[in-house]
Amino acid sequence: MGVKSQTTLPNVANSFLGANDTGISHFPSFLGLKMHIRCYANVTSANQKGPIALFDSGLPFFSTAWVSVIPSVLENMPAWNISKACFMDRYGMGWSDASPFPITTQDYAMRLRGSLQVAGLTGKYVLVGWSWGSIFVQTYSLAYPKDVVGILTVDGTDSQWGFIHANQQAVIGLTNVFSGYMNMNSMGTLEALSETGAVPLGHGWFNSGSAYFPDCAVKATQDIFLTNKNLRASIQEYNIMVLSSAMLNFTYTLKGDTLKDLPYVNLFASHDQDWINRQTYMASLSSNSMTLPVVPANHFVPFVNPDAIVSALAALSNKIKTNPAKIWGRGLF
């Protein structure tokens, strides 16, 4: 077995939908790092100038986490007025370059915007973030409001996350766990452990036989998980979570910025009352928001209930069409 190196990453073209996959991978270089962005185009003649939907995953996942919704997104792009749907890998994750240093979400948003411009993926954006990816959705929207026409958060992390003691302790614990994974991987024992089911989905290991993920996507994700490049990037991200959420909270509370009337759909699972309260607060940041429940409640929505994400995207598309922002993005900040 042994440790897999960055040079043995699976072929990206064969790692998503399998045969007849129409996606195109972009590798724009910006500020010395290449980012992988996998895009699927609306193949109809309609909506060619519509916004681009950008999907960012939870931690420690990357672009393949969204494979379960890609077929439905392809089917509904014309009706949703989307010209492209693009799925990003944050640095060190998936097929993106590793960074020599941790990159905060605020820095990542700036780098993503530059990478999108290098790749020619410019225009208006609909931002979709699951879990930790929701911090990106909010950060990017506040940094570049004229670029964004709507957002969807999927059981998303909120700006108050970093102030919760249990979360601060979880970061320390996960850092230790992933450091252990790296040591095991270097000794060639992590793969066997993962295949026994001892590494949970929440740590990024895809189990075989998923109802919503083709075998090629599962295999590619497993192969990438079993690289110290990916494991090291996970540690880097765990160590910027508290800072990044605190910086977002600073923007909301001390600077007084909100999401104004940006079309916003908040899809969330009812874990406990505190989580519900924080999701309600997130939704309240826009006067043009709606909340949708995930039933049954489960944080791993792309894996267990991708239809809920598709329904939320349809609701967001309708909101953008029938009640677009009038204040948001007009320079009135």
Side-chain angles (χ1 to χ4, degrees):
M1 297 181 203
V3 61
K4 292 178 171 64
S5 69
Q6 184 173 352
T7 59
T8 61
L9 290 178
N11 184 341
V12 64
N14 301 324
S15 299
F16 286 79
L17 300 180
N20 303 315
D21 189 310
T22 60
I24 296 175
S25 283
H26 303 265
F27 294 90
S29 180
F30 183 73
L31 296 181
L33 293 173
K34 290 182 181 178
M35 180 180 292
H36 172 239
I37 306 170
R38 180 80 172 172
C39 292
Y40 293 81
N42 179 348
V43 297
T44 72
S45 59
N47 306 323
Q48 293 301 306
K49 295 184 179 180
I52 298 172
L54 301 178
F55 293 74
D56 206 352
S57 66
L59 174 62
F61 300 91
F62 41 95
S63 53
T64 56
W66 296 104
V67 165
S68 62
V69 303
I70 292 176
S72 294
V73 170
L74 285 169
E75 179 182 351
N76 286 286
M77 266 198 270
W80 293 346
N81 187 34
I82 293 174
S83 60
K84 290 184 178 69
C86 297
F87 305 83
M88 292 94 66
D89 291 336
R90 297 188 296 273
Y91 293 114
M93 314 294 284
W95 290 266
S96 288
D97 280 353
S99 170
F101 50 84
I103 293 178
T104 65
T105 303
Q106 288 70 21
D107 190 17
Y108 166 64
M110 178 273 293
R111 288 171 176 269
L112 173 63
R113 189 172 192 259
S115 298
L116 291 167
Q117 292 173 341
V118 171
L121 300 169
T122 56
K124 302 296 185 181
Y125 303 114
V126 173
L127 303 183
V128 183
W130 165 48
S131 191
W132 181 249
S134 297
I135 290 286
F136 149 75
V137 163
Q138 298 170 76
T139 298
Y140 193 102
S141 298
L142 291 167
Y144 308 107
K146 293 183 180 180
D147 292 358
V148 181
V149 296
I151 63 172
L152 166 63
T153 59
V154 180
D155 214 34
T157 307
D158 64 291
S159 63
Q160 299 169 15
W161 186 94
F163 296 100
I164 298 172
H165 179 70
N167 293 336
Q168 297 169 2
Q169 293 300 114
V171 165
I172 297 171
L174 286 164
T175 297
N176 292 333
V177 167
F178 273 73
S179 295
Y181 287 163
M182 289 182 65
N183 290 333
M184 294 176 64
N185 203 33
S186 298
M187 294 185 293
T189 59
L190 180 59
E191 183 172 1
L193 178 71
S194 301
E195 289 175 347
T196 68
V199 177
L201 174 63
H203 291 182
W205 177 258
F206 277 29
N207 291 317
S208 301
S210 170
Y212 299 109
F213 291 81
D215 290 343
C216 60
V218 173
K219 179 63 165 59
T221 307
Q222 290 176 342
D223 285 348
I224 290 174
F225 175 86
L226 293 168
T227 63
N228 277 354
K229 164 183 175 284
N230 176 80
L231 297 170
R232 185 178 296 107
S234 299
I235 293 172
Q236 288 180 334
E237 290 213 331
Y238 286 130
N239 282 273
I240 57 87
M241 291 182 78
V242 171
L243 175 60
S244 294
S245 61
M247 290 171 68
L248 177 60
N249 191 72
F250 171 84
T251 303
Y252 281 142
T253 59
L254 295 184
K255 289 185 61 180
D257 287 350
T258 68
L259 298 173
K260 306 297 184 184
D261 62 345
L262 176 66
Y264 174 19
V265 172
N266 180 302
L267 177 69
F268 75 95
S270 301
H271 303 290
D272 54 44
Q273 190 58 52
D274 178 63
W275 185 257
I276 294 171
N277 292 343
R278 285 156 51 203
Q279 295 294 316
T280 302
Y281 167 74
M282 261 206 311
S284 75
L285 291 165
S286 169
S287 63
N288 192 8
S289 68
M290 65 182 295
T291 56
L292 293 175
V294 177
V295 180
N298 191 307
H299 182 63
F300 297 99
V301 190
F303 297 89
V304 300
N305 196 353
D307 289 345
I309 299 174
V310 174
S311 296
L313 283 166
L316 178 59
S317 170
N318 183 65
K319 183 176 281 291
I320 294 170
K321 179 180 179 180
T322 61
N323 191 23
K326 296 180 175 62
I327 299 174
W328 176 261
R330 301 295 175 87
L332 302 178
F333 287 85

